[in-house]
Amino acid sequence: MSFFTFIIDYGAPPLLVLSPVLSYADQIMSIHRTKTSAGFSLDIPLIMLVASIFKIFYWFGSYYSAPLLIQAISMVGVQVILLKVALDNRPSPGIEHTPFIGQGSESGFVRPYGFWQWKSARPYWIFLTYFTLTLLVIHTLFTPLSRSSAYIELLGFSGLGVEAFLPIPQIISNQRSRSCKGFRPSVLISWLLGDAMKMSFFFFSGGTIPLAFRICGVFHTIRIGYVPEHYLAPLHLAVHSSEASSLPFKISLISFPSGTGHMITSLRQNEIDVAIGLTEGWVAGLVGKPQLEKGEKDGGYKLVGQWVETPLRWAIVTGYDRKDIQSVSDLKGGRVGVSRLGSGSHIMSFVLAQQQSWSSSSPLTPTILGPFPSLRDGVTGHNPEQPDAQANSLADFFMWEQFTTKPYFEPTTAFPKPPLKKIGEIYTPWPSWQIVASTRTFPSPESDSRLTQLFSLLDSGISTFQADSAKVVQQLGTGEFGCTYSESDAKEWLKDVRFVKGSTRGADKHMIEGVVNVLKTAGVVPEDISNDEAVNRIIGIHASQ
C-alpha cells in the first residue's frame, strides 16, 4: 500500500463522515442568527435530501464503502435541520429566495403544483415522507425489482445525477438577484474541497467504491499489470494503436518483472485494475489453501479473459558450477527458488513434483528470492555486490520461461561459461496466460462496458501481431516492448505460440476445472473444494461456447 493510499484510506473517511456538518453548519448558523433565509435557495436541501436518500437505498444493493453510507445518512440529518431553519426563517412575501419563483419570474416558468414553493412548511415534509416511503415499499415488497442490478444501478446513478445539479439553483438565484447576500462562501468552499476529497477517495481508497460513484467522479484510467515478456507483445501493440486513443478511458501499463504473484498483491491493494499473467498463479491465488484458509470469498480479482491457447515452456535451471545437479532427478527434496509465494514459479514446483512422482515425504522447499536476477544469483551463489566472495547458493534450482532464461544458460562465443545450466524443461498442462480484472474496479464484469471495449482493443492487438509477425520479431529485438530477444529465439517462439482466436473475452470453465484438478493432485488446492465452487470463485466472465 502506497503512502498516498494509506492517507486516503485512513484520513478521508472521517472527513467524509463529518463533511455534511462542516459544509452546512455555517449556513445554518447564519440563517438562524439573521432570522432570514433570503438569498439561500431552498432547492439545495431538496437536492441533497433526494440524492442522499437515493444513495442510502443504493447501499442495500451495492454495499459500497461504509464511510460513504454514513456520510449519506448524516447528510440527511443535516439537510433536515437546514430545511427546518430555512423554512422557519423564510423572508417576507415578495422577497425571492428560490430560483424559479413562479408567477412574475423573469423566466416565466411555473413549477407544477407550485412544487417546493409551498407557503406552509407541511407539504415539504409530506413530500419527503412519501418519497422515502415509496422507495421503502419498493425495497421491501417488490424484491424482484429492488434486487435487480438495473434497479440498483438506477438508484446509484440517480443519486449522483441529482447531486450533480446542486450548485445550479443557487447560481440562478444569485444571478437573478445580482447578489450573493444570504449565501455563505463557506458552503462553496466546502463543495470544492469536498468534491476533490471524494474523487481521491473514489479512485485511491482500498474500500469498495461502486461504478456509479467512480464514473461521476472523473473519467477512469484502467491500470493494466503485465510481465515484461514476449507474450505481452500484442498488449503493447493494442495500447499504442489509434483505437486505444478513441476509448472513453485511458490505459496505463505497469510492469511486474517478478511475475503473477506480485500482480495478485497489487490487485488486492487496488494498485492495478486488470492484469495478464500465468493461469496457475491466478487459480492458486483464488482457491489455493492460503486463500481459502482466510475465509474470504472475494479474492480481489476474477478471471475474465483468455490470452493464449498454448502452454508455457518452463526451463529448469541451476547454477553452471553445480556438479551435484545434472538432471531433474537430482532435485528431489531440494530447494526451489521462487519469485513469490503463489507465483507461477512457485506453483509449477508442485506440478513438477507431481509429474516426477516425488512423495510428500521429500517435498521441495520454496526459497523466496524475487525477480529473475535474484533467482539467477540465488542458484549460482554469486553476490554481485561482493564478486570476490565465496559462492553460497540460496536455492538448488528455479524455473522460468524458456526464452527469457536462454541467454543465461546457452554458451556463446562471447560467454562460453554462462551462469546457469539447463537440466530440463516442463510445460504447463493448460493454456498459460489469462486475463483477470479487479473486483473492486469491475464488480459486475459481465455487464461492464469498459471491459467489453478493452477486450475489443486486445483482440485488435492480437490481430495486428498476427498480421505482421516479421515486424514483431524486429520489435522484440529492439527492446521496444520492455524485453529483448534475439531474432532466432523470437522466431522459434513464434512457431509454438498461438494466441486466442476470435475474442479474448471470457474464461473457459472446462479448462479451469482441469487446472483445479491438477493443482488438487499437486496439493496446492484442497481436495474438499468442489469444482463448481472453485469455478464460481475464479471466473468472472464465462467464455461463449
Side-chain angles (χ1 to χ4, degrees):
M1 179 184 294
S2 68
F3 178 73
F4 182 69
T5 302
F6 177 84
I7 294 297
I8 292 297
D9 277 343
Y10 291 94
L15 293 176
L16 283 172
V17 171
L18 294 174
S19 62
V21 176
L22 298 175
S23 299
Y24 294 98
D26 185 40
Q27 183 70 63
I28 293 172
M29 294 301 296
S30 175
I31 295 174
H32 177 72
R33 185 174 56 253
T34 60
K35 302 301 181 184
T36 178
S37 59
F40 174 73
S41 173
L42 281 181
D43 288 316
I44 289 178
L46 168 66
I47 289 172
M48 292 309 302
L49 283 167
V50 170
S52 298
I53 293 170
F54 269 133
K55 286 190 280 187
I56 290 172
F57 281 94
Y58 178 46
W59 183 86
F60 290 98
S62 181
Y63 300 105
Y64 55 79
S65 181
L68 293 173
L69 173 64
I70 298 173
Q71 183 203 37
I73 295 173
S74 62
M75 183 64 76
V76 170
V78 169
Q79 293 300 324
V80 165
I81 295 173
L82 177 58
L83 178 60
K84 177 69 166 61
V85 172
L87 289 175
D88 289 346
N89 295 277
R90 279 188 291 184
S92 302
I95 300 179
E96 181 180 345
H97 72 287
T98 56
F100 309 114
I101 198 64
Q103 297 293 341
S105 70
E106 295 178 10
S107 65
F109 176 79
V110 179
R111 295 191 185 189
Y113 305 102
F115 179 74
W116 212 253
Q117 294 176 342
W118 301 296
K119 294 181 179 180
S120 66
R122 188 167 179 267
Y124 293 87
W125 306 116
I126 291 177
F127 166 77
L128 292 173
T129 301
Y130 283 173
F131 176 72
T132 305
L133 287 177
T134 299
L135 292 178
L136 182 61
V137 168
I138 294 174
H139 180 76
T140 55
L141 300 183
F142 298 92
T143 51
L145 173 62
S146 63
R147 293 179 182 176
S148 68
S149 59
Y151 176 77
I152 292 168
E153 291 302 315
L154 177 62
L155 287 176
F157 282 104
S158 296
L160 272 295
V162 170
E163 188 176 352
F165 287 92
L166 177 61
I168 294 178
Q170 189 64 55
I171 292 172
I172 295 175
S173 177
N174 291 346
Q175 191 275 335
R176 184 167 297 156
S177 64
R178 299 293 192 272
S179 172
C180 291
K181 185 178 180 180
F183 178 70
R184 300 295 294 173
S186 59
V187 176
L188 179 60
I189 294 172
S190 68
W191 285 348
L192 296 173
L193 294 179
D195 286 345
M197 179 183 62
K198 281 191 284 188
M199 283 195 294
S200 299
F201 185 68
F202 291 168
F203 290 100
F204 297 103
S205 167
T208 302
I209 311 298
L211 174 63
F213 285 10
R214 292 183 186 272
I215 288 181
C216 290
V218 72
F219 281 116
H220 189 38
T221 295
I222 295 181
R223 303 160 295 176
I224 303 179
Y226 72 100
V227 181
E229 292 185 5
H230 42 318
Y231 280 93
L232 281 301
L235 172 64
H236 292 275
L237 295 174
V239 171
H240 293 97
S241 68
S242 58
E243 185 178 341
S245 60
S246 64
L247 293 173
F249 50 81
K250 295 181 180 179
I251 294 177
S252 173
L253 296 185
I254 302 175
S255 175
F256 288 83
S258 54
T260 305
H262 191 181
M263 288 192 286
I264 290 175
T265 301
S266 292
L267 282 161
R268 289 171 175 165
Q269 292 182 349
N270 198 31
E271 294 172 347
I272 55 176
D273 307 300
V274 174
I276 303 176
L278 298 179
T279 306
E280 59 273 16
W282 297 137
V283 172
L286 291 172
V287 295
K289 291 178 180 178
Q291 177 63 21
L292 294 181
E293 287 171 357
K294 295 178 182 178
E296 300 174 358
K297 288 192 174 183
D298 184 359
Y301 65 91
K302 284 199 171 187
L303 265 69
V304 295
Q306 307 171 80
W307 191 241
V308 299
E309 297 177 348
T310 47
L312 185 68
R313 182 181 177 186
W314 294 80
I316 306 173
V317 296
T318 186
Y320 185 86
D321 294 325
R322 291 295 298 267
K323 305 299 183 184
D324 57 324
I325 300 177
Q326 299 297 328
S327 67
V328 173
S329 60
D330 296 327
L331 303 176
K332 182 179 180 180
R335 300 167 299 169
V336 54
V338 301
S339 59
R340 282 179 174 236
L341 293 179
S343 65
S345 58
H346 179 215
I347 303 305
M348 286 305 295
S349 68
F350 293 97
V351 178
L352 176 65
Q354 188 260 333
Q355 290 187 358
Q356 294 294 319
S357 300
W358 292 336
S359 66
S360 57
S361 60
S362 301
L364 294 171
T365 302
T367 302
I368 305 172
L369 297 177
F372 182 85
S374 299
L375 290 166
R376 179 196 61 209
D377 296 337
V379 297
T380 62
H382 294 296
N383 187 342
E385 297 179 357
Q386 298 177 340
D388 298 329
Q390 184 177 358
N392 180 27
S393 61
L394 302 176
D396 298 315
F397 75 103
F398 73 92
M399 293 176 285
W400 208 258
E401 196 278 327
Q402 162 76 12
F403 295 102
T404 305
T405 316
K406 187 177 179 182
Y408 300 93
F409 66 70
E410 185 175 69
T412 62
T413 303
F415 297 99
K417 185 181 177 182
L420 301 178
K421 174 174 61 179
K422 180 180 176 182
I423 55 175
E425 59 184 37
I426 182 173
Y427 287 83
T428 58
W430 43 70
S432 54
W433 297 81
Q434 305 290 318
I435 307 168
V436 301
S438 163
T439 52
R440 288 176 179 168
T441 308
F442 305 101
S444 302
E446 283 274 10
S447 57
D448 198 297
S449 61
R450 294 171 299 167
L451 280 179
T452 300
Q453 293 170 308
L454 181 60
F455 287 129
S456 176
L457 179 68
L458 296 178
D459 295 342
S460 175
I462 291 176
S463 297
T464 303
F465 174 92
Q466 295 170 332
D468 195 353
S469 58
K471 183 178 180 181
V472 172
V473 169
Q474 294 177 352
Q475 291 171 307
L476 287 171
T478 62
E480 185 176 332
F481 299 144
C483 53
T484 305
Y485 296 87
S486 68
E487 181 178 349
S488 59
D489 284 350
K491 288 182 176 180
E492 184 181 349
W493 167 67
L494 283 172
K495 292 178 182 178
D496 297 326
V497 68
R498 186 173 65 253
F499 287 88
V500 294
K501 298 176 181 178
S503 175
T504 52
R505 177 186 173 88
D508 183 82
K509 175 184 176 183
H510 300 297
M511 184 273 291
I512 294 301
E513 288 178 334
V515 177
V516 170
N517 288 333
V518 172
L519 294 185
K520 282 183 179 180
T521 304
V524 177
V525 175
E527 291 281 354
D528 57 354
I529 184 174
S530 68
N531 280 5
D532 287 341
E533 181 183 352
V535 167
N536 287 336
R537 287 175 175 266
I538 294 168
I539 298 180
I541 299 178
H542 287 265
S544 301
Q545 300 299 322

